[in-house]
Amino acid sequence: MNTNMRLIKIFDTTLRDGEQSPGASMTLEEKVRIAIGLEKLGVEIIEAGFPAASKGDFTSVQAVAKQITTSIVCGLARANQQDITTAYEALRVAPIFRIHTFIATSTIHMERKLKMTPEQVLERAVQSVSLARNYTNDVEFSPEDAGRSEIDFLCKVIESVINAGATTINIPDTVGYTTPIEFGSLIALLIKRIPNSDKAIFSVHCHNDLGLAVANSLSAIANGACQVECTINGIGERAGNASLEEIVMALKTRSDFYKCATNIDTTQLVPMSKLISSVTGFMVQPNKAIVGANAFSHEAGIHQDGVIKHRETYEIMRAEDVGWDSNKLVLGKHSGRNAFITKLSEMGVTFTNEEEKNSAFLKFKEVADMKHEITDFDLQAIVTQSQIQEERYSLISLSAKTESSKPAHATITLSDQGVEKSSSAFGDGPVAAVFAAIESLVQSKATLLLYSIGNVTSGIDAIGEVMVRLSKNNVITNGKGANTDIITASALAYINALNKLTLHEQKVHAQDAQFDATYGI
């Protein structure tokens, strides 16, 4: 990094705030995989979750804390003793960790939500930071809804928590209310007015309710903020959070203006975007900046002519710099296991055991027999599909038949804990018929909330990726399936979601027992 550039720390909250997107819940294994990817990406701080929110959250934060070695693992905690103690118990296994505590400071939140006076909020904030400092020297404090807080009280709270030991002060625009000029001015004013502001790093956390999260974050950086909280693909509560890839590339592309840089390996942005999309089931819209399929595509003749003559005429970034230069032939059906594993390692894909490696390699061989060219994106889809573990149900075979003016018909054979079962059903189309046949076997009574199709790669033999979202007893799971045949991919996605529902029920019972026995919290 240029020594004249100011370093902006990237605080990723995909695993915490991002998971709060309705339907975006992740399994423990998926969270660990994402955390490993974020560490490879160069993220300084990974907010792994909210340990006191649930026993599942506690376990997943602890699992991430055990796996990550170079990034700081962070856990969120409300400003109370139990939350902070629970966060510490989950994080203590990490080589380096941070406790992030918060309490609301806006009048509407204090009066309507907390039912507390400003004096009580101030006292609670100081007590909580002091308690967190007993566990770690790295304590972050957030005055929730700072964007709508009264400035004098906000300054008083921040000055007090810095004196109590907070090393990072995060200013959240919790409801996405502020404008870039307002928010940037607020950051500058706080740094100027608070006497001990030089004793802490100022951070920002912006929501996208008005579509201004990235603009507000960049304005804050221009006015002195040195850390930004964001998520991959901008996922998060309501309209989402500031998008990590957009902030990072804005700082890199316009370093002449911001005079700032990050430690992010930008070539990992597209792979991480695809991973998050695959895990959550949220497809990235084609026109999404940086990571959308059309971000570096040119349809208009004038644009095409300009790019052919000189790329910079219509492209302010290189596609290769954000990870789009990997869609090329790298492996085929004659490739060996070592070459396969080595290539995945180069892509940043890791495995936790030999069983995962073997499963991925077998899946690769299956796809290679159907598809002549195997690209990096094919490999990513293969790994995603092969890392489905602890399956109750698995697909053995299926057939689907359609005729004009007649209902579609499907026959499917599943393995249910090793026992083969077959059934047939009709539907409005082949996918509906397949889903009906599966349900006639499993009798899950789950509700289908989402069915989405996307292509992982281009060409007539492209791997199709299907996302399915199911709901049952207030539990929502996302299933994914990838195959050159879209009907098969649909069946795999539905079965994947069913397996997650089953696994969720099993893990809830196991986690409850383990958590209560260990901590009694």
Side-chain angles (χ1 to χ4, degrees):
M1 185 183 74
N2 189 322
T3 55
N4 295 323
M5 295 287 183
R6 183 160 55 96
L7 177 65
I8 304 301
K9 293 184 177 181
I10 300 299
F11 178 115
D12 183 273
T13 184
T14 301
L15 295 176
R16 200 275 301 171
D17 207 334
E19 196 194 20
Q20 291 176 200
S21 299
S25 59
M26 310 167 193
T27 66
L28 183 148
E29 292 79 11
E30 288 168 340
K31 287 186 176 183
V32 171
R33 185 179 172 202
I34 289 168
I36 292 171
L38 292 172
E39 186 172 44
K40 181 177 176 62
L41 181 65
V43 167
E44 280 91 353
I45 306 100
I46 300 172
E47 190 165 52
F50 192 165
S54 71
K55 293 162 187 178
D57 246 36
F58 179 95
T59 305
S60 62
V61 170
Q62 191 175 62
V64 170
K66 290 177 179 177
Q67 186 70 44
I68 299 304
T69 58
T70 58
S71 297
I72 298 169
V73 181
C74 178
L76 186 68
R78 289 166 296 191
N80 64 60
Q81 182 175 351
Q82 180 171 315
D83 271 30
I84 293 170
T85 301
T86 304
Y88 169 67
E89 292 295 341
L91 293 166
R92 62 190 300 180
V93 295
I96 44 177
F97 66 87
R98 171 182 297 184
I99 294 177
H100 178 192
T101 186
F102 71 97
I103 192 169
T105 54
S106 66
T107 300
I108 188 172
H109 275 237
M110 289 189 292
E111 291 181 354
R112 303 293 183 177
K113 184 183 75 171
L114 298 177
K115 309 293 185 182
M116 294 171 66
T117 66
E119 291 73 24
Q120 290 173 322
V121 167
L122 174 61
E123 181 181 11
R124 181 75 65 82
V126 171
Q127 289 174 346
S128 300
V129 170
S130 298
L131 175 61
R133 277 301 297 256
N134 290 334
Y135 298 125
T136 177
N137 292 329
D138 192 347
V139 176
E140 178 169 330
F141 175 79
S142 290
E144 186 185 5
D145 203 22
R148 295 191 295 174
S149 297
E150 192 274 321
I151 189 65
D152 289 339
F153 179 63
L154 186 60
C155 287
K156 185 176 182 180
V157 170
I158 293 172
E159 180 182 357
S160 299
V161 296
I162 293 176
N163 283 334
T167 51
T168 299
I169 300 298
N170 178 58
I171 308 300
D173 183 22
T174 303
V175 292
Y177 179 75
T178 65
T179 66
I181 293 176
E182 284 179 311
F183 197 62
S185 298
L186 173 63
I187 300 304
L189 182 62
L190 292 175
I191 293 173
K192 181 179 179 181
R193 278 189 54 175
I194 297 171
N196 56 359
S197 63
D198 61 322
K199 300 295 191 299
I201 291 173
F202 274 73
S203 169
V204 291
H205 178 115
C206 298
H207 278 266
N208 207 38
D209 297 73
L210 293 175
L212 297 173
V214 170
N216 283 341
S217 298
L218 292 171
S219 179
I221 289 171
N223 282 277
C226 290
Q227 176 182 290
V228 61
E229 305 196 356
C230 44
T231 61
I232 302 293
N233 295 341
I235 66 171
E237 192 87 28
R238 303 183 312 280
N241 290 53
S243 167
L244 181 150
E245 59 274 9
E246 293 177 22
I247 290 171
V248 167
M249 290 311 296
L251 293 177
K252 181 174 181 177
T253 305
R254 292 307 311 275
S255 60
D256 61 316
F257 177 82
Y258 291 104
K259 309 296 183 187
C260 294
T262 71
N263 285 324
I264 296 297
D265 176 2
T266 61
T267 63
Q268 297 298 314
L269 291 174
V270 168
M272 278 304 301
S273 170
K274 288 184 174 292
L275 173 59
I276 297 302
S277 177
S278 176
V279 167
T280 62
F282 294 162
M283 294 287 191
V284 175
Q285 71 267 30
N287 64 323
K288 168 75 166 64
I290 315 300
V291 296
N294 292 346
F296 294 90
S297 298
H298 303 276
E299 179 71 20
I302 294 174
H303 287 215
Q304 292 173 341
D305 179 64
V307 169
I308 290 170
K309 291 176 179 176
H310 191 71
R311 182 186 60 81
E312 287 83 355
T313 54
Y314 286 100
E315 288 188 1
I316 60 173
M317 297 168 283
R318 296 192 332 140
E320 299 89 336
D321 290 343
V322 300
W324 279 116
D325 193 34
S326 57
N327 195 8
K328 58 187 178 183
L329 178 64
V330 288
L331 292 173
K333 65 180 181 180
H334 300 298
S335 299
R337 187 175 186 274
N338 185 49
F340 172 72
I341 298 300
T342 300
K343 178 58 187 176
L344 288 177
S345 177
E346 292 172 357
M347 293 169 58
V349 175
T350 58
F351 298 96
T352 57
N353 53 54
E354 286 298 314
E355 185 179 351
E356 279 190 3
K357 288 182 182 180
N358 293 334
S359 175
F361 183 62
L362 290 174
K363 187 67 181 177
F364 159 71
K365 283 293 190 180
E366 290 177 11
V367 175
D369 283 335
M370 297 184 290
K371 192 176 191 296
H372 176 64
E373 295 186 356
I374 303 297
T375 68
D376 285 5
F377 292 152
D378 289 326
L379 292 174
Q380 186 72 56
I382 289 167
V383 171
T384 297
Q385 187 64 33
S386 68
Q387 289 187 328
I388 301 169
Q389 298 184 12
E390 300 182 71
E391 294 183 333
R392 173 176 176 175
Y393 307 108
S394 60
L395 177 65
I396 295 176
S397 65
L398 73 81
S399 64
K401 181 180 180 181
T402 59
E403 293 183 47
S404 59
S405 303
K406 291 184 179 180
H409 181 263
T411 300
I412 192 161
T413 302
L414 299 181
S415 170
D416 181 354
Q417 295 179 325
V419 178
E420 287 192 18
K421 298 179 179 180
S422 298
S423 181
S424 298
F426 290 94
D428 292 337
V431 172
V434 166
F435 289 177
I438 294 173
E439 274 300 318
S440 70
L441 289 174
V442 303
Q443 300 288 314
S444 75
K445 296 182 173 60
T447 301
L448 178 65
L449 300 180
L450 172 73
Y451 174 79
S452 179
I453 301 175
N455 64 303
V456 180
T457 51
S458 59
I460 195 170
D461 59 353
I463 288 183
E465 186 174 64
V466 173
M467 302 290 181
V468 165
R469 184 173 301 150
L470 298 181
S471 174
K472 181 182 178 183
N473 297 330
N474 296 319
V475 175
I476 297 174
T477 60
N478 293 301
K480 48 188 177 291
N483 198 276
T484 52
D485 175 60
I486 204 65
I487 307 301
T488 301
S490 300
L492 291 170
Y494 198 94
I495 294 168
N496 183 205
L498 287 174
N499 282 323
K500 287 183 178 180
L501 283 174
T502 302
L503 185 60
H504 175 82
E505 294 172 353
Q506 295 172 348
K507 286 192 173 183
V508 165
H509 295 310
Q511 288 170 354
D512 284 352
Q514 180 183 0
F515 187 88
D516 290 338
T518 305
Y519 301 104
I521 298 173

